[in-house]
Structures are given as structure tokens and as C-alpha cells.
Amino acid sequence: MVKQGLSKVTKRNRGLYWLRRDWRLYAMLAVPILWYVIFCYKPMAGLIIAFQKYNIFAGIKGSKLIGLENFKFVFSMRDFGIALRNTLWLNFLDLIFGFPVPIILAILLNEMRMLRLKKISQTLLYLPHFLSWVIIGGMVLEIFAPTSGAINSTLLKWGLIDTNIPFLTNGAWWTFTYVLVGVWQGMGWGTILYLAAITGLDSTLFEAAQIDGANKLQQIWHVTLPGIRSTIIVLLVMNIGRMMSIGFVRPFIIGNTLVQDTCDVISTFVYRAGIQNNQFARATAIGLFQSVVGLVLITIANAVSRLFDEQGIW
Amino acid sequence: MQGKLNPSLKKKATTGQYILAVIMLIFVAICTLPFINVIAISLSSKSAILRGAVSLWPVEFSTKAYEAIVRDKSMWHSLFYTIELTAIYTGLSMILTILIAFPLTMKRLKGRKFFTMFIVFTMYFSGGTIPIYLNIKQLGLLDSMWALVLPGLISTFNVIIMKNFFSSLPYELSEAAFIDGANDFQILLRVYLPLSYSSLATLSLFYAVSRWNSFSDALYYITSRNLQPLQLKLYNLIKGAQAIEVTVIEGNANEMASSLSESIESATIIFATVPILLVYPFVQRYFVKGVTMGAVKG
């Protein structure tokens, strides 16, 4: 009896020895994990309201499940179609125009031998990344303003245009401004990973190319670019994977009611429907749709990028 | 080196360098001219702005806009409030980030894989704007400073950077400390943290700059004027000015009204930018390091 009891105790102790040994580690984890539960996982559970006739007073428990009604309603909305189209279109343009610039800039920076100038250039090129979109948006609204804005007034002064260009109030011009500002903000910062990749290249490759008589351009084309190909592809694929998600502040702050059909994207649409108009369930349905499609895209992107880079991004 | 290979290449290379320098200066100009323009506007008179006479140099120099801002008590309140908010947020964020990164570095920890998956999953999927908003509402945090602190306290990206750094420290260190009788708390406080100052500084800056620049959470959760961080205050100002401009275009207001606030708006933009510019020279290299660190898988 006693023997049996003892062995039971030791067995149990052996089973939980790790808890006795590591309780301090688990104690450290407790608060952060609790934070993840409350601020990340609980809202995920809150996604259930996308399938409910949600009533803010009745709460999640008191609201009735209505299946896919909210989704059906949302998908039939004209404004949702516009927001979805704009999200994909603006992200696509960002990719086309915003993606190549950092690569070119990184190669140029790498070729610079005037090190002081290079350092100063880098510092100034990175600067826009550190400013909030509110500050950038405010600057954009001033610089692109009609008449008083620097761009319009300069172009008028030089006689290049007769009337103000409606940078912010005409749909096509607004898109132009939006993309331009995105490229402007991201081009310097985007060089960092490419510069790191170029620095990691074997310098003997360049020497060999030089001895073979390759000029600078040929070296860039035949050594530098192939050398950073995997970095380029991984970043490209990850960018494509993020096609469904779009920042809130940039379109929100540069946008205005005159170009509503051009500047309204999913994030601003959700804000308007959910937080401003209290259409919680429908706005959640849009968010869920966006998250799920985004998750699928990013998973595919990660799998594809793994083919090119053993480690993937994470 | 090129000179040694072929003397004729050297001269060519320097011409190339000059061309390169010019191209780079153009890029740099594109990056900086907007700031100069905004500074010029903030220091110009209303009528000059209205005429569109201001480009890169103040016209009819005037410091009225800055005087108005400096006299505006709510602007100073917002500045100090944002500093306080950023400090509290950064401190708490760092504590939680360390508390989760350290145990997850210990290979012997049971459930380590599970906890790692548990946090990494949140990078790919989230409840989204509305469920998060309702959660904050339900917790009773709406329109309080804590709505800007608690929901974004941990950045999983930063946890991974911290964890990668801890993992790069030699395991023997903690082993030796353990043999000397140190427990995990002591190992963290006396062995790991003193070796991680540069990473801790980097991550603190990440958190601080992100909090300083955050705007949308304040827009969603804050209604009281005295709880508005600087970014939201700036936004309200800009939007007010833009609303006038839109009515000008629609023909419902005269243009005089639109330039009324332009110099004040610019001065506020500068006011909100200066704190970032002050720390920028120090934080920049840490940020560059952080980007390359984050790209390495742990």
C-alpha cells in the first residue's frame, strides 16, 4: 500500500517536474499571455457578430444568429464594391510604382564612393518614414492645393499650365497624388533590406567581372541584380500577399468627399460603417471577409517565398 | 582598387561618381523640399500664401503663426500629454516584451512551441477594427488614456526581435549562472538584460515612435478634447482647413477663408515634427539595425 502510494507520488512529481523547475518562466509568461487573450483572441471571438443580428444592448450572447445575412447585404452594397475595387487598384499601383524605386535607389547608394554624401543622403531619404501620415497628409494638402499650393503656383509661374491641376479633387489626379506620396514616403526606407543584401554579396564576384572587362552597368546587371534576386522576389511576393489590406490613415487623410468614389477603401469604409454609423455587424462582416482573404493570400505568399528563400519571412 | 587594375578607369569612375552624386541630390531634394515649403509657409504672411507666392522661402516674413501656437495652452497640453502617454506606453510595452521573449528563448520550456505559435498567429489574423473597438468599449476603456496604451501594448514583431537577440547570447551564460544558484528571474535581470542594452534601446525607440505617430486609435476611441494626442489634434486642424477648401471649390465660400489657417496649419505641422526631428539623428541607425534584425528568422 505504502509503496504503491509512494510510487504514485513520485510518478506525479516526475510528471510535473518541469512545472516545479520552470514555474518562474511560466509566471513571467502569465501577464503577456493574458494580454494576448484579452486584446487579440477575445476580439477574434467577437467576430461571431458578423453572423448575428447584433444588438449592442443585448450583447453577443443576447443577439440572434442570422447566418450569412450580413455578408449578403454587404456584398450587394454599391459602396462596398467601390471600396474593394479601390483597395485592390491602389495597392496594385503602389506595387507597380513603389516597388522598383527602392531597388534602383539602393543600387545607386551602393555605388556611391563619396561616403559623406552617401551617409547624409541616406539620413534624409529615411526621414519621411519617421513622420506620421497625419503630418505627411497635412503637408500634401498644402503643397498640392490649388493656387496657394507650391506645385500649382510653380507650374503656373513657369507657364507650364494655364489652370490649376486638381490634384486632390479630381479622381484620376487624386490617384496620382496618392501613389506619388506613397512612393515618396517609402522609397528611402525600402532601400535598407536591399542594401543589406548587396553588402552581403561576395566582393570577388565584382572583381572577377571587372577583370573580365565588365563596366559598372554590366556589373550591376550581371552581378548585383542576380545577387539580390531572392530578396527582390521574397519582398515582391510578400507585397502581393498584402494586396487586400490597406492602411487607414493615408487614404483617409488625403481623401475628401469630392473624390469619394476614388478614395474610399475597405479600411475607411469599415470605419464609416462601423464606428461612425454603428453598423457593427455589417462592418465586422467586411472586416472578416478582408481578414480571411488576406490570410489566404499571405499563406500562399509565404509558401511561394519559401521556394525562393529557404527561411521564408518568418 | 579600380585604379590599380586600369589607370584609365579611375578618371571615368570619378565622372561617374559626380553623375551619381547629382542623381542622389535630386532624390534628396525630392525628399526635403516639401519640408522646406511647409516651413516657408509657416513663416509667411496670409496674403503671400493666398497669392501662391510662397515656395521655398518665406514671403513677407511673419512669425504670427508660431506666436499663436506658443500662446495656445491646449497645444502645450497636447504636447505634454503625448509625451506622458508615449513614456507610459513604452515602459509597459518593454516590460511585457521582455517577459514574453525571455521564457520563449529557453529551449527547455514545455509548451514553448505552442506559446510561440499562439503569439505569431496574431500577426496573420486579428479580430479587425470593429471587434477590437467593441472589446475596448466593453472593457470600459473608451475615451480614456488607457485605450491608447493597453490595446497596442505588445508588438509581436518586436517580441520576435527581442527573442532573436536573447537566442544569440551564448546558452552557457545562463547555465553558468544556474550552477551558481541563480534562478530564472535572476538570470534575466543580472545576465540577460545587462547584455541587451542596445536591443532594449532599439525596441524602446520602436515602441515610442510608433506610439508618437499613431493616429487611428485616437480617432476611434477618444472624444474628449483633453485626451487627444498631438496627431489627432493636428488632424482636426488640417481637416477643418480642408473642409473650407472643399467648399471654396464647390463655390460656397470665398478663398480668403481658405488661407486664413494655412500658416497656422503649417506651423502646427512643424511643431508636431520637431520632437521627431530632435530624436531622429539618434534613433535612425537603431531603426536600420532593427529592420535587418527583424528580417532574420529566429
Side-chain angles (χ1 to χ4, degrees):
Chain A
M1 267 299 264
V2 174
K3 212 180 167 188
Q4 216 178 6
L6 261 179
S7 77
K8 241 183 200 166
V9 170
T10 41
K11 218 182 211 167
R12 194 185 301 147
N13 277 349
R14 211 181 297 137
L16 288 174
Y17 76 97
W18 49 270
L19 192 58
R20 254 207 335 224
R21 185 191 64 194
D22 292 337
W23 69 268
R24 291 179 185 85
L25 294 180
Y26 291 106
M28 289 181 204
L29 280 177
V31 177
I33 292 293
L34 189 67
W35 180 88
Y36 273 100
V37 171
I38 294 173
F39 289 103
C40 293
Y41 284 90
K42 197 167 151 249
M44 284 186 213
L47 281 168
I48 189 88
I49 69 171
F51 305 96
Q52 286 182 332
K53 192 173 167 59
Y54 182 69
N55 179 326
I56 185 100
F57 301 108
I60 291 174
K61 276 176 200 147
S63 298
K64 216 173 62 190
L65 279 169
I66 50 168
L68 296 174
E69 280 306 310
N70 291 323
F71 290 88
K72 276 182 200 153
F73 181 86
V74 165
F75 290 146
S76 68
M77 282 171 86
R78 173 186 167 272
D79 285 0
F80 172 73
I82 289 171
L84 179 62
R85 187 200 66 195
N86 288 341
T87 302
L88 294 171
W89 177 235
L90 292 176
N91 277 338
F92 175 73
L93 291 176
D94 260 354
L95 193 67
I96 297 285
F97 294 101
F99 191 76
V101 181
I103 302 175
I104 298 165
L105 209 49
I107 290 172
L108 290 177
L109 280 169
N110 182 60
E111 295 297 334
M112 281 183 88
R113 294 290 164 268
M114 302 174 183
L115 294 181
R116 243 206 133 101
L117 182 65
K118 179 181 171 183
K119 197 122 198 244
I120 295 170
S121 307
Q122 276 176 298
T123 303
L124 291 171
L125 287 168
Y126 295 162
L127 185 59
H129 176 83
F130 287 83
L131 300 178
S132 73
W133 274 110
V134 178
I135 288 178
I136 296 174
M139 291 184 6
V140 168
L141 297 185
E142 293 200 341
I143 290 165
F144 288 93
T147 320
S148 66
I151 295 197
N152 267 321
S153 68
T154 309
L155 291 177
L156 280 169
K157 213 186 302 170
W158 291 350
L160 294 174
I161 49 171
D162 301 325
T163 48
N164 288 316
I165 297 175
F167 284 110
L168 299 164
T169 46
N170 166 287
W173 278 110
W174 186 87
T175 308
F176 170 82
T177 312
Y178 174 92
V179 174
L180 187 73
V181 174
V183 174
W184 178 81
Q185 194 254 1
M187 66 181 180
W189 194 247
T191 60
I192 293 173
L193 283 178
Y194 296 116
L195 277 173
I198 295 173
T199 316
L201 293 180
D202 188 352
S203 63
T204 53
L205 288 174
F206 291 97
E207 282 163 26
Q210 240 174 63
I211 290 166
D212 288 347
N215 62 27
K216 267 282 163 237
L217 283 179
Q218 286 168 325
Q219 285 176 39
I220 290 170
W221 187 253
H222 293 288
V223 184
T224 315
L225 277 175
I228 59 170
R229 197 185 58 184
S230 68
T231 309
I232 295 176
I233 293 175
V234 168
L235 289 179
L236 180 66
V237 170
M238 294 316 286
N239 266 321
I240 296 173
R242 286 192 214 102
M243 279 302 263
M244 269 302 273
S245 66
I246 190 160
F248 168 76
V249 190
R250 170 150 69 126
F252 181 70
I253 200 149
I254 309 176
N256 58 65
T257 47
L258 295 176
V259 285
Q260 185 69 19
D261 281 358
T262 316
C263 73
D264 200 20
V265 293
I266 293 183
S267 54
T268 53
F269 183 72
V270 166
Y271 167 70
R272 221 175 42 245
I275 294 176
Q276 288 192 317
N277 296 328
N278 292 340
Q279 300 267 348
F280 294 121
R282 284 167 188 163
T284 304
I286 302 167
L288 180 59
F289 166 75
Q290 186 189 20
S291 298
V292 169
V293 176
L295 185 65
V296 170
L297 283 178
I298 205 105
T299 311
I300 296 171
N302 212 356
V304 173
S305 71
R306 254 170 230 274
L307 294 177
F308 296 98
D309 179 290
E310 277 186 332
Q311 296 188 311
I313 287 288
W314 299 113
Chain B
M1 220 159 38
Q2 282 172 340
K4 273 176 205 160
L5 284 168
N6 182 349
S8 72
L9 273 176
K10 196 177 180 185
K11 203 179 167 204
K12 238 193 195 161
T14 31
T15 344
Q17 284 300 313
Y18 284 124
I19 298 171
L20 210 52
V22 171
I23 298 174
M24 201 48 69
L25 284 175
I26 294 172
F27 273 106
V28 169
I30 294 170
C31 269
T32 44
L33 289 184
F35 295 99
I36 296 171
N37 176 241
V38 173
I39 294 172
I41 292 177
S42 71
L43 290 168
S44 296
S45 75
K46 280 172 198 165
S47 65
I49 300 166
L50 186 67
R51 272 185 280 128
V54 184
S55 51
L56 299 176
W57 204 251
V59 179
E60 293 162 26
F61 186 85
S62 142
T63 55
K64 281 217 173 76
Y66 287 99
E67 283 162 28
I69 287 181
V70 171
R71 260 187 272 118
D72 185 352
K73 281 210 181 79
S74 73
M75 199 61 88
W76 290 106
H77 168 81
S78 194
L79 177 71
F80 291 126
Y81 168 71
T82 313
I83 292 173
E84 181 194 348
L85 176 68
T86 307
I88 294 173
Y89 171 82
T90 307
L92 290 177
S93 290
M94 284 309 290
I95 293 172
L96 289 198
T97 304
I98 292 164
L99 283 181
I100 195 160
F102 177 72
L104 293 184
T105 314
M106 295 291 134
K107 290 219 165 69
R108 61 167 205 272
L109 184 80
K110 238 186 162 78
R112 180 169 162 263
K113 274 247 162 66
F114 168 77
F115 287 123
T116 309
M117 290 289 291
F118 185 79
I119 69 165
V120 168
F121 180 69
T122 62
M123 296 176 83
Y124 291 94
F125 195 78
S126 87
T129 314
I130 303 303
I132 292 173
Y133 172 84
L134 291 174
N135 185 35
I136 288 163
K137 193 182 169 106
Q138 201 195 348
L139 293 169
L141 297 176
L142 274 193
D143 204 23
S144 80
M145 189 183 85
W146 296 105
L148 304 181
V149 173
L150 296 177
L153 217 43
I154 302 178
S155 145
T156 306
F157 182 80
N158 290 355
V159 171
I160 289 171
I161 291 179
M162 193 77 248
K163 186 166 140 319
N164 283 348
F165 183 79
F166 282 154
S167 305
S168 74
L169 296 174
Y171 181 66
E172 290 75 16
L173 280 176
S174 67
E175 232 170 21
F178 180 71
I179 289 166
D180 288 345
N183 65 37
D184 290 318
F185 291 134
Q186 291 162 330
I187 292 175
L188 172 62
L189 284 173
R190 305 224 179 117
V191 182
Y192 274 68
L193 291 187
L195 288 170
S196 324
Y197 282 145
S198 74
S199 295
L200 296 177
T202 311
L203 291 185
S204 304
L205 292 170
F206 276 31
Y207 278 122
V209 172
S210 84
R211 179 60 264 167
W212 186 270
N213 282 340
S214 287
F215 157 72
S216 46
D217 55 352
L219 178 75
Y220 298 163
Y221 311 139
I222 301 295
T223 42
S224 303
R225 274 184 175 275
N226 62 337
L227 291 175
Q228 288 181 355
L230 209 50
Q231 303 293 335
L232 184 56
K233 198 170 166 53
L234 177 61
Y235 165 78
N236 286 332
L237 201 91
I238 292 168
K239 258 331 191 209
Q242 200 200 10
I244 297 170
E245 253 157 55
V246 168
T247 44
V248 169
I249 288 157
E250 285 169 340
N252 299 328
N254 61 26
E255 282 208 28
M256 199 54 206
S258 88
S259 78
L260 214 65
S261 49
E262 290 242 358
S263 56
I264 299 227
E265 195 185 324
S266 303
T268 315
I269 291 174
I270 301 298
F271 185 78
T273 312
V274 165
I276 288 281
L277 288 182
L278 286 180
V279 294
Y280 178 65
F282 308 102
V283 306
Q284 185 218 340
R285 69 195 170 97
Y286 288 114
F287 267 75
V288 173
K289 212 167 72 185
V291 170
T292 37
M293 272 199 294
V296 183
K297 187 192 149 76

